[in-house]
Every structure is written in structure tokens, then in C-alpha cells.
Amino acid sequence: MAHILFVLTGADHWTLADGTEHPTGYWAEEFAAPYAAFISAGHTVTVATPAGVIAPVDRGSLAPEVNGGPEGAAAVAEIVSGATELQNPIPIDKVDLADYDAVFYPGGHGPMQDLAVDPVSGALLNDALASGKPLGIVCHAPAALLATGEAGPSPFAGYRLTGFSNVEETQAGFADKAKWLLQDRLVALGADYREGDPWAPHIEVDRNLYTGQNPASAAPLAAEILAAL
């Protein structure tokens, strides 16, 4: 069975262009759906965060309105509350990639705050890409790729990938409030950015890089990684 590393944000807010701190964290579905899929398949999971802090969940991501109703919200909340790995994270700088068979980055606006400028996470991403192991990144988590070009061009330049689109950020009400938009930064990084219809599942697989556009893409993305494992 495989051992899968989840790398989560440690940020509980996202600083907007006007200095406002918008409460956030990781998006529950983007952790819960892949986590449940991997655990159900018999794999084990370890969680890593910056400095080993307990990753905050975006409270808005637990609402019925974004989980298909009260039943879906309860199911996601149950997975999150039952995932003991979330309560025992290791610091990213203590990760030994050799211990893991795959790496997965859930999104939420949190990664826009911390992982986007975290060189330790950036180095881990570079190593994971070079290792050939499945590397899954979903929604806003591709912001972490912005920290991969510390010593020159990012190794992710030229890779076909996706992530939360400008259209989706506009429809979510944050495009005119954000300091920068993820899609724009990924294009500037040199990535071959692809987008699907807003809020619909959309994944891209290029070599060992597996990316999903939005929360609805988390489960299909996990299924692709499971197939690879």
C-alpha cells in the first residue's frame, strides 16, 4: 500500500489588496474527498504544514451551500473531524520525500497567503516533480508553484496544468480584491495553463503532474492518482 503526503496551508487568513485579512484556510472538500478515497483504498496519509502548525479549515467550506446541501456538508465535516492525521502534522522541512509514494496539495485561499512564498514547500515540489512520483495539486494550491523558481526558471514551466481560474475568482467575488490572480501568475511562471468550464470538474495530467481546477475536481483528481498508484 502507498504512503501519501498531504501538504496543507497553515494560514488562517488571506491578505487582500486593501490590507483586509479574509478568513480562510484549506477548502474542506479538497482535503476530504481525496483523503477518503486514499484511505478507502487502503493507503496511509501523513499531513505536513509550514512549521507543523495544525491546518485551519476554511469555515465557509463546511457550509451546506457549497457541499450540495446539509447531507453533503455533514459528510465532509465528518471526514475532516475524523482525520486524526490533521491533528498531528509534521513540519514541511522535516519531510523526507523517500518515505512517500505520492504528494497531494489541497487548495483553499490559504496557499495564496503562505505556500506561494514558502521556499521549503517550493523545494519539496521541485523534488517531487523530479522524482516521477504522482504529484497532485488542486484549485488554489498551484499558488505553491510560485515558490519553485528560487534559483532560476521554475521546473514547472512548460507543464500543462490547471488551477482556479480568473473567471471563477471573479464569480466568487474576489478578483477585484486580490493582490494577484492565480491564473495570471501561473501563466507568468511559464506553465501551459488550461481551464474548463467554471466550477465543473476539470483535470490535467502531464507526466507525473496531476492538477485540478476547482473543488469539484478534487475527487476526479484523486481517482487519477489512485489509478497511477
Side-chain angles (χ1 to χ4, degrees), residues 143-213:
L145 300 183
L146 303 182
T148 62
E150 294 290 310
S154 170
F156 290 84
Y159 272 76
R160 189 180 70 254
L161 53 77
T162 189
F164 205 65
S165 69
N166 288 355
V167 172
E168 288 167 321
E169 202 72 86
T170 299
Q171 293 179 358
F174 288 106
D176 61 348
K177 301 175 183 177
K179 292 182 178 179
W180 47 269
L181 298 179
L182 178 59
Q183 178 179 338
D184 293 345
R185 287 293 179 92
L186 293 174
V187 171
L189 188 75
D192 179 10
Y193 178 86
R194 308 287 181 91
E195 67 181 292
D197 293 335
W199 311 108
H202 177 75
I203 62 173
E204 294 287 345
V205 180
D206 188 350
R207 289 157 278 185
N208 64 313
L209 179 63
Y210 296 73
T211 53
Q213 181 172 322

Side-chain angles (χ1 to χ4, degrees), residues 89-170:
I90 62 173
I92 298 175
D93 62 2
K94 300 300 183 185
V95 167
D96 184 348
L97 187 60
D99 294 338
Y100 304 97
D101 302 291
V103 178
F104 193 88
Y105 274 65
H109 279 118
M112 303 275 282
Q113 182 74 19
D114 61 354
L115 298 182
V117 293
D118 188 324
V120 178
S121 169
L124 174 61
L125 285 165
N126 290 342
D127 291 345
L129 188 70
S131 75
K133 299 175 181 182
L135 171 59
I137 316 175
V138 66
C139 199
H140 284 92
L145 300 183
L146 303 182
T148 62
E150 294 290 310
S154 170
F156 290 84
Y159 272 76
R160 189 180 70 254
L161 53 77
T162 189
F164 205 65
S165 69
N166 288 355
V167 172
E168 288 167 321
E169 202 72 86
T170 299

Side-chain angles (χ1 to χ4, degrees), residues 59-70:
R59 305 309 300 180
S61 70
L62 297 173
E65 300 79 46
V66 296
N67 289 291

Side-chain angles (χ1 to χ4, degrees), residues 32 35 62 71-83:
Y35 173 84
L62 297 173
E71 205 169 293
V76 167
E78 184 177 4
I79 294 170
V80 169
S81 63

Side-chain angles (χ1 to χ4, degrees), residues 11-22:
D12 62 4
H13 69 275
W14 176 35
T15 305
L16 303 178
D18 66 356
T20 301
E21 293 186 353
H22 172 69

Side-chain angles (χ1 to χ4, degrees), residues 2-6 38 43-46 100-104 226 229:
H3 191 182
I4 302 166
L5 177 72
F6 274 62
F38 295 147
H43 304 308
T44 57
V45 165
T46 292
Y100 304 97
D101 302 291
V103 178
F104 193 88
L226 280 173
L229 289 171

